[in-house]
Structures are given as C-alpha cells and as structure tokens.
Amino acid sequence: MGNPLNVLVVGYEASPFYKRGGLGDVVSSLPKALYTVGVDARVVIPYYNSIESEYKEKRIGEFSVVFGSKIEIVTVYSSFLAKTKIPIYFLQNKKHLASINLRGRNKKIDQFAFFDLCVVEFAFWLDEHKKWCPSLIHCNDWQTALIPLLMQKRIPTLLTIHNLNYQGKGSLKVLDLLHIKDKDAKELRRGIPATEINLLGEGIIHTTQVSTVSPSYAQEITSDYDNDPIHNFIVRREKERGKKDQVWGILNGIDYDIWNPKIDEKIAFKYDEATWEIGKKENKKDLLKQFSLENRLTFCFVGRMATQKGLDLLLETVDDIVSQNVNIIILGSGLKSIEKSISRAAKKYPLHMRVKLTYSEELAHQFYAASDFILIPSRYEPCGLIQMIAMRYGTLPIASVTGGLKDSIKDGYNGFLFKNGSASELLHAIKKAVELYNKPQEYRVMVKRAIEKDFSWETSSLLYKKLYIDTINSY
Ligand code: ADP
C-alpha cells in the first residue's frame, strides 16, 4: 500500500502540544529529521482537552469507529510540527480521548485501545481524504501497541519500545470492546498471564519489526537476565525469527532547533561553543539568585520522579554531597513518595538544596544552562535525552553505566559513568567531578568535548530510514 517512504508516527505525546518525557521529544523531532533524509513522515496523537484549549487547531474532517456496542465519532484536527511543513494530526473523541489523566489501569487500557482503533481507521481515512497513505506505521510504546494486531497485516508496523517497564497491563475485557477473539491475541497463548492483557506483549508479537532506543538497551532487553515475562518473550521471539528480526537499537537524537543555548529563548543569557564559560556563569548567577542559593558549584537533576530514575541513590548520598560545599537543584514530579523524600532532604539543607516539584519546560532549559553537572543515577535508562541536552549546554553528566547513558557518555572524557545501583560509586564519581572542576584547564577540555559531541538526529534518522525500508521489504 502506498509510497514506501510514507511513515505515520504514532504516540501518546508530542512536544510542544503535550509532553511529559523523552517520548514527546522524539515523536516531534524524529519526523523532522526523517524529512531531511527523504522520508515523508507525519504524526498522529490524541487531541486532549489541554491541547485543544491551548492550540485550537483546524478541524479537517471526521470518521467513525465501532467500540464495544457503540458507534463513536472521531474528529480530525491538523497542524504542523514547529517551524516545519510536517503535518501533525490530532484525533478527538470527547468520551475517550479528552483527558490524559484517567485514574485506574483499565481505564487507561481502554482509552489507548480506543486510540489504536482510531489510528487504524485514520490510516485509511488519510488515504481517502488526503491522498496520503502510510506505507508503514511507526508505533511507540504500549499506548500504540495494539495497532499491529488491529491492522491485521494491511500495513506493516514498526514498534519502538521506549521503556520496557511500562507495558499496559489490564483486563481482557478490552478485547470485547475491540471485537477481538481471545485466540487472536496471540500473546495469551505464549505463557504470559492468561488472565490479563499485556498490550506491549501483543504489540511485540504482531508487529512486523521491533526496535528500541539505544543499542545497549536492545542488548539488555534481549538477554534473559530478568524474570519479566516480556523479557523472556523478546528473547524467544529473536530465537524463533532469527537475526533478521532482532530487536534493533537506534539511539535517539535531540532537536537542535529547540536544544541550543545559542538561540534558546527560555534562558537569560545565550551562549555557544566559544562563549559557554561566560554564558553558563551568567545563567547560573541568575538562577541561583532566584533560588536564594549561594553562587557555588551546582549539580542538578531533571526528570520524572519514578523508581527508575534512582533518586534513592541521591538521597543515600545527599549528606556527603552537600558536605562538598555544593548546591543541588532538582526539577521533577511523579511518585508522591519520592517527591516527599526529596522535599524532606531539601528542608534539611536550606542553604544547599532547592526542589521544584513541577513540570516546567522553562525551568528545565534554565537548569541545563545554569548547572555545572547533571546527576543521572538511573537504575536503567533505555536512551535518556537529558544527558544529551545537558552536554549540549556544557553541563557534564554523572550517570549510571546503563542503556543509552552508556552509549552516549564516555567516562572521564565527556562526563562520568558509575556502576548503576551503587550509591558509593555515585559519590565517588561526584568527588571526581568536584576535583575536575577545581582544575579549570582540564574541566574546560571536558566541557568542550561534551558540547561538541554530535547528538543530532543525522545518523539515527538514516538508520530509521533503512529499518523502515527493510521492514516494508520483509513484509
Ligand atoms: P524519560 O523519557 O524517561 O522521561 P528522558 O531523559 O528520555 O527521560 O527525557 C526526559 C525529557 O523530559 C527531557 O526533555 C527533559 O527535559 C524533560 N523533563 C523531564 N522532567 C521534566 C520536568 N519536571 N520539567 C520539564 N521537563 C522535564
């Protein structure tokens, strides 16, 4: 069906319309990069109420789907990715797609099952109404993982796993809503709990190809070190299908139109490779003044407050870190228990620590520009964008040696890596960082290397293009 290089990229978030993590960056920046290598990529996400009230996009049509016993009308809105002519479509249904904050796992499963059903219908709607038919659908994470099953081999699919720990597990009742028979949900016959559905598992079974967001994470999730059934399943899938159907690992890139201190409107003082020292100094002075913190060596953390992010290691070492006479500034939100522990630590160190328990694009940019080092103690990290962004802003990463962190940071060359899960190794790395900072000559060399490291999409977009073509050809 269609031109071999028409790719419909599907996700539950896309920056700036709705973004809470790295997937939002990728769903917007990858299509831009694909365009420059000759792939006609377009994006589709749900039209949440929050997007509608902020962006008021153009309505371009509607279609209907049957969900359970009801006919649901889906309205299509469209816009363009920032500063491009790349279309982004939004699917609206006030009953199922209005809110991203539904409580309860089955509600979320039903919501994205509905979205996936809409996307399948939408792919054909596009062909009919816009004369653009996807030759491949690029699904991302569990929220889009039912598309391969629902597509029933009409259009090839690539499923990219951005985080294997989020699988979309819930009641099998969702199959009734989709009019799918148990026996067609193949994963159920593969020894993964037959009492519930696992959307990511279904996606992995039914999709034409599977990929993930860094070579190291691909290796980690295909080695059977873990008892997670999906882990075991991926291993088996590779064994059964052979090397040509391996889980491909392609490192994410970052969008240099957004993450570039030279043109960044969100920071107080712009700077580049030549002026980073003065630029960072001014941004730091500015931010620390806002936070009423003394102007001294500053470590930051930016990210979701999830167990994955290893904030417990930071808390274990916080006394020793602060004793180095440094600041720690933290930006993030998520699990209430983690938020509470972090706030408690900040209260204990009012002269050294500030915490912003919020999601703020503005502050994130300022944190990257103003900090000297960024702490990334993740227990696992499929790719991680914050280390790439921070390095672009001349902020050296101190990160666990895992997944994409391992693939993007060279220990002692453009940042520091430490054994993941080890608080004492984290502290050791922090001490090395402080030592480096006190040797300005060596520090400058390392920062320059970090700033100059190429994290653009240039190489990875070509790898995706090749994978799309191979996927279509193998179909
Ligand atoms: P993940 O996808 O696991 O959340 P990544 O490192 O891949 O982690 O991407 C995180 C993205 O989300 C980055 O763009 C980062 O700047 C942004 N981000 C995370 N937390 C916040 C926050 N509290 N405020 C603003 N931006 C945030």
Side-chain angles (χ1 to χ4, degrees), residues 13 19-23 25 162-163 252 259 302-304 308-309 331-333 356 358-364 368 381-387 389:
E13 58 176 350
K19 178 190 153 188
R20 283 297 174 271
L23 178 68
D25 290 292
H162 294 256
N163 194 329
N252 287 334
W259 300 112
V302 177
R304 291 179 295 114
Q308 172 200 345
K309 299 294 176 183
L331 171 65
S333 59
K356 292 281 170 190
T358 177
Y359 185 92
S360 160
E361 247 349 282
E362 199 101 1
L363 271 180
Y368 296 125
E381 196 57 74
C383 176
L385 296 178
I386 58 169
Q387 77 280 13
I389 301 168

Side-chain angles (χ1 to χ4, degrees), residues 187-251:
E187 170 252 330
L188 298 174
R189 287 185 278 150
R190 297 287 192 122
I192 294 168
T195 48
E196 59 179 22
I197 188 139
N198 182 314
L199 299 198
L200 192 65
E202 287 303 331
I204 291 166
I205 301 251
H206 291 277
T207 191
T208 324
Q209 287 284 1
V210 181
S211 76
T212 186
V213 288
S214 71
S216 285
Y217 193 60
Q219 204 183 10
E220 287 166 19
I221 63 175
T222 49
S223 47
D224 39 2
Y225 64 87
D226 191 301
N227 278 330
D228 186 310
I230 297 288
H231 253 127
N232 298 338
F233 175 70
I234 293 181
V235 175
R236 214 161 53 217
R237 179 187 189 272
E238 269 204 356
K239 277 187 192 145
E240 284 170 9
R241 294 200 185 188
K243 197 82 187 135
K244 71 170 181 40
D245 274 340
Q246 64 181 274
V247 174
W248 302 92
I250 302 177
L251 196 69

Side-chain angles (χ1 to χ4, degrees), residues 83-95:
K83 296 184 194 147
T84 73
K85 286 279 161 225
I86 299 172
I88 172 165
Y89 301 103
F90 304 89
L91 303 185
Q92 185 185 55
N93 174 278
K94 288 286 182 187
K95 187 164 162 202

Side-chain angles (χ1 to χ4, degrees), residues 372-376 387 390-391 395-399 409 414-417 450:
D372 301 300
F373 295 93
I374 184 162
L375 299 171
I376 317 178
Q387 77 280 13
M391 286 160 84
T395 302
L396 295 176
I398 300 172
I409 302 164
N414 52 21
F416 296 95
L417 289 172

Side-chain angles (χ1 to χ4, degrees), residues 146-166:
L146 276 179
I147 293 170
L149 171 61
L150 292 166
M151 191 45 87
Q152 290 179 347
K153 298 205 184 318
R154 288 170 290 178
I155 300 177
T157 53
L158 169 68
L159 172 63
T160 300
I161 301 168
H162 294 256
N163 194 329
L164 191 68
N165 265 34
Y166 299 96

